[in-house]
Amino acid sequence: MMKKIWLICIAIFIATITIVTQSEQVNADKQPHYVITTDASFPPFDFQDQNNQYVGIDLDILKEIAKREGFTYTLKAMSFNSATQLVAGSQADGVIAGMSITDERKEVFDFSTPYYKTGVVWATKKGSNIKSLSELKGQTVALKTGTAGADYAKKIQSQYGFKVKYFNDSNIMYNDVVSGNSVATFEDAPVIQYAIKNGLKLKIMNADKLFDAGWSGFAVKKGENKALLTAFNQGLKSIQKDGTYDKIVKSYLGKSQEHFTGKTSDNNSVLGLLKTNRKAFIDGLIETIKLTVLAIILASIWGIFLGILGISETKWLRGVSTTVIYIFRGLPLMVLAFFIYIGLPTVIGTKVPAFLAGIITLVLNEGAYTAAFVRGGFEAVEKGQMEAARSLGLPYGKAMRKVIVPQGLRIMVPSFINQFIITLKDTSILSAIGLLELTQTGTLIVARNSQGFRVWAIIAVMYLIVITLLTW
């Protein structure tokens, strides 16, 4: 039985790799083709519009340059830190995400000609009594990792004596201030201005004088992708010369936000949000279900296999099972996902598709938990059952297959159901590596319209519905 389970596991795993790899190779025959990463929760530079298309100053610039310079690209949207790490680890060719050009980053990346000059503002909750930076002493300030605002705040932190806490998402950072958990935030001027136009209840305190004005640039890993960097610079010069660049910037800073976010009346109601974002919610739900079903099947097979090894007559097989369970139950799921998606490719020398990385992460983690209760379920079968089977002349393997396993599996049914539910919920963590499942879908919608409470309420209800159906 162990041999059959192992062969089934290998077959399904190979099939998964084949399906995912085929999707990554669709454009392989089109040259040159690049993988570009971005942070799609950074409007007006990078975000999804009401039609679920990736748009923004950065992405429109990239699209126009690619058309003129004759290259194609696959866009991968994720958190800013993940986007830059992917490029630094040679998993992607370039990153465009309103990325400030700093001396520290120049040690890791080669930057294009600067394409956008911005500055930092600080903002407080509307009605706040704080009027000057000196009043931040002893207070907590919210910052988004990797932004010019965070860099500037760190420079002046010792001078003004405030504490900081970091977020990976702008909207969560803003609402931390709105809710009063932090007293202020520092952010790139056009980004927070966009959010305030969408109804965010913050007030900019230095609108007339921006801090630490700097430049944003497109980046590639240092010493690599020189052709891509050259093409970007040439295309940028071209669109600046004929006025296309100015038109792109003006389209995002000069138009009503409804052009991208949809009607305000729709965004201010749950039914309106469901109507305008129906396709995004459905696509996110389908991706979550795909991840969950495939992970449940593979993790169950892998967990049962490890669980059987854990009660083997052979001591070293029991040791292997115990070690694997210990390692993958002990690793946080997000750390494991980052290691497989970002760290592992530098070791094996080949890219790992995000969907495959997500499946492997879930299988290793959930499979370890499954193995633990599988082993416990088999050990819960009375020892007399094995003794009786062996006394009747059944060899150990046949006694396990015919007597112990059927009884043990019945004992495990409640634990399996519980693990299926946990697997479904754990798929949300994979949004960190750019998988567009239900949680990442919600993040992108909130980044566009700043309707965090309503959007996350919808996402929560969708999860509850699926979990209820799965439990039944």
Side-chain angles (χ1 to χ4, degrees):
M1 181 176 179
M2 285 170 53
K3 185 177 180 181
K4 289 181 179 179
I5 292 175
W6 181 242
L7 290 174
I8 293 171
C9 187
I10 292 175
I12 296 177
F13 186 71
I14 291 174
T16 304
I17 293 176
T18 303
I19 293 170
V20 175
T21 304
Q22 284 177 349
S23 67
E24 295 287 321
Q25 294 176 341
V26 170
N27 294 312
D29 57 333
K30 299 178 182 179
Q31 296 295 330
H33 183 83
Y34 303 104
V35 176
I36 309 296
T37 61
T38 189
D39 175 3
S41 60
F42 200 58
F45 292 97
D46 315 275
F47 64 108
Q48 267 193 351
D49 65 10
Q50 59 179 325
N51 298 316
N52 305 315
Q53 300 298 311
Y54 290 113
V55 297
I57 294 172
D58 286 347
L59 302 184
D60 282 13
I61 287 174
L62 177 63
K63 183 178 179 180
E64 186 63 30
I65 289 175
K67 184 169 66 175
R68 296 192 184 196
E69 294 299 313
F71 66 84
T72 58
Y73 60 91
T74 297
L75 192 69
K76 289 186 175 292
M78 57 191 66
S79 69
F80 179 81
N81 285 338
S82 298
T84 54
Q85 288 177 45
L86 220 59
V87 176
S90 299
Q91 271 274 69
D93 302 301
V95 55
I96 185 165
M99 187 174 177
S100 301
I101 301 173
T102 65
D103 292 334
E104 292 82 2
R105 287 173 179 163
K106 286 180 179 178
E107 296 294 321
V108 182
F109 302 100
D110 287 329
F111 282 93
S112 67
T113 303
Y115 64 83
Y116 191 90
K117 189 172 185 179
T118 186
V120 174
V121 296
W122 72 288
T124 62
K125 179 182 178 181
K126 282 186 177 180
S128 171
N129 294 325
I130 293 177
K131 305 300 179 184
S132 66
L133 290 173
S134 59
E135 295 178 59
L136 295 178
K137 186 174 182 178
Q139 305 283 359
T140 300
V141 170
L143 305 174
K144 181 179 178 181
T145 55
T147 61
D151 292 340
Y152 179 74
K154 289 297 292 181
K155 287 180 184 178
I156 65 171
Q157 182 182 7
S158 58
Q159 178 183 352
Y160 292 102
F162 54 78
K163 296 175 286 187
V164 302
K165 58 179 175 180
Y166 290 97
F167 298 89
N168 285 323
D169 179 82
S170 295
N171 186 71
I172 297 176
M173 176 184 73
Y174 298 149
N175 282 288
D176 196 66
V177 181
V178 172
S179 64
N181 293 319
S182 301
V183 298
T185 185
F186 289 78
E187 180 64 287
D188 295 75
V191 179
I192 198 167
Q193 286 167 354
Y194 180 95
I196 289 174
K197 286 181 181 179
N198 273 340
L200 184 70
K201 298 184 183 303
L202 292 181
K203 179 182 178 182
I204 295 175
M205 305 302 292
N206 62 316
D208 298 329
K209 185 180 179 181
L210 303 184
F211 298 140
D212 206 31
W215 288 91
S216 299
F218 173 76
V220 298
K221 185 177 180 180
K222 197 170 186 66
E224 296 184 7
N225 287 304
K226 291 182 179 179
L228 172 58
L229 197 61
T230 299
F232 186 91
N233 285 334
Q234 290 176 174
L236 178 62
K237 184 177 180 180
S238 173
I239 65 173
Q240 287 175 332
K241 185 176 180 180
D242 66 14
T244 302
Y245 171 87
D246 292 330
K247 289 179 181 177
I248 290 173
V249 173
K250 186 178 179 181
S251 70
Y252 288 94
L253 300 184
K255 285 190 176 182
S256 166
Q257 303 307 309
E258 288 191 0
H259 179 72
F260 305 108
T261 64
K263 295 179 180 178
T264 302
S265 57
D266 287 336
N267 289 328
N268 287 335
S269 71
V270 171
L271 290 178
L273 286 169
L274 284 170
K275 177 184 175 182
T276 56
N277 298 283
R278 180 176 63 254
K279 185 178 185 303
F281 283 128
I282 291 174
D283 289 346
L285 178 61
I286 290 173
E287 187 73 2
T288 295
I289 292 173
K290 282 166 55 180
L291 284 165
T292 302
V293 172
L294 194 53
I296 284 174
I297 294 171
L298 293 175
S300 297
I301 294 172
W302 175 238
I304 292 172
F305 175 72
L306 280 178
I308 292 174
L309 287 185
I311 57 170
S312 171
E313 285 186 305
T314 307
K315 186 176 181 179
W316 72 267
L317 287 177
R318 295 198 303 272
V320 168
S321 175
T322 300
T323 302
V324 172
I325 292 171
Y326 174 78
I327 291 173
F328 291 109
R329 279 206 308 178
L331 286 175
L333 195 64
M334 186 175 291
V335 172
L336 184 59
F338 280 139
F339 173 75
I340 292 172
Y341 188 53
I342 298 174
L344 189 60
T346 61
V347 178
I348 63 177
T350 185
K351 296 178 181 179
V352 179
F355 188 86
L356 178 59
I359 290 296
I360 294 174
T361 300
L362 290 172
V363 169
L364 291 177
N365 183 267
E366 311 300 339
Y369 282 97
T370 300
F373 69 68
V374 165
R375 183 175 60 188
F378 289 150
E379 290 175 344
V381 177
E382 293 183 8
K383 292 184 179 180
Q385 297 290 313
M386 175 61 78
E387 293 171 356
R390 297 302 299 273
S391 67
L392 292 173
L394 293 177
Y396 180 83
K398 196 167 186 178
M400 282 293 300
R401 187 168 65 253
K402 297 289 187 179
V403 179
I404 305 301
V405 170
Q407 295 182 68
L409 287 175
R410 281 196 291 273
I411 295 172
M412 300 171 210
V413 168
S415 296
F416 268 113
I417 298 300
N418 186 55
Q419 197 60 41
F420 293 167
I421 294 170
I422 292 172
T423 301
L424 171 64
K425 292 189 291 186
D426 282 349
T427 59
S428 64
I429 296 176
L430 300 180
S431 62
I433 60 173
L435 285 175
L436 197 55
E437 41 65 71
L438 205 49
T439 299
Q440 179 72 345
T441 297
T443 299
L444 296 179
I445 294 173
V446 171
R448 178 174 71 244
N449 58 30
S450 302
Q451 297 295 321
F453 176 79
R454 293 184 179 90
V455 172
W456 291 121
I458 293 170
I459 296 291
V461 170
M462 293 177 74
Y463 272 116
L464 284 173
I465 291 172
V466 177
I467 286 171
T468 302
L469 294 174
L470 184 61
T471 303
W472 288 348

